[in-house]
Amino acid sequence: LNDILDLSKVEAGRLTFESIDFRLSAVLDEMNALFGPVASQKGLVLKLAPNAGPKDVFIGDPKRLQQVLVNLIGNAIKFTSG
């Protein structure tokens, strides 16, 4: 339901994005925790990690990034056979 509401906001030009500091590794850790067990049940291995490098803090909208990753990873697991 939230995705539908967000889509209608995008179409109406009313969607706002945050611009805050966030740790990419923290976002990826959440995705691993959320989808790792689901992937494992299908015989898949999910490992999300940022590229090795000194920068882990970015400026952006971590909640929107999470929404995108949930959709992409969820579909990837759903449509991949183990």
Side-chain angles (χ1 to χ4, degrees), residues 45-81:
V45 176
L46 176 69
K47 183 177 178 185
L48 300 170
N51 287 337
K55 186 164 182 168
D56 184 44
V57 177
F58 293 87
I59 298 172
D61 192 331
K63 293 198 185 298
R64 299 287 178 223
L65 177 58
Q66 286 175 339
Q67 285 180 328
V68 170
L69 292 175
V70 163
N71 286 324
L72 290 174
I73 296 167
N75 283 335
I77 292 170
K78 181 178 179 179
F79 296 110
T80 302
S81 57

Side-chain angles (χ1 to χ4, degrees), residues 2-76:
N2 286 338
D3 291 340
I4 294 169
L5 294 174
D6 285 347
L7 182 59
S8 66
K9 286 181 183 178
V10 168
E11 290 172 346
R14 296 183 319 183
L15 184 65
T16 58
F17 293 94
E18 286 189 311
S19 184
I20 61 172
D21 290 351
F22 71 95
R23 289 184 52 238
L24 180 59
S25 60
V27 172
L28 297 180
D29 286 346
E30 287 183 39
M31 295 298 103
N32 281 321
L34 181 64
F35 287 107
V38 176
S40 181
Q41 288 176 351
K42 287 193 72 176
L44 304 171
V45 176
L46 176 69
K47 183 177 178 185
L48 300 170
N51 287 337
K55 186 164 182 168
D56 184 44
V57 177
F58 293 87
I59 298 172
D61 192 331
K63 293 198 185 298
R64 299 287 178 223
L65 177 58
Q66 286 175 339
Q67 285 180 328
V68 170
L69 292 175
V70 163
N71 286 324
L72 290 174
I73 296 167
N75 283 335

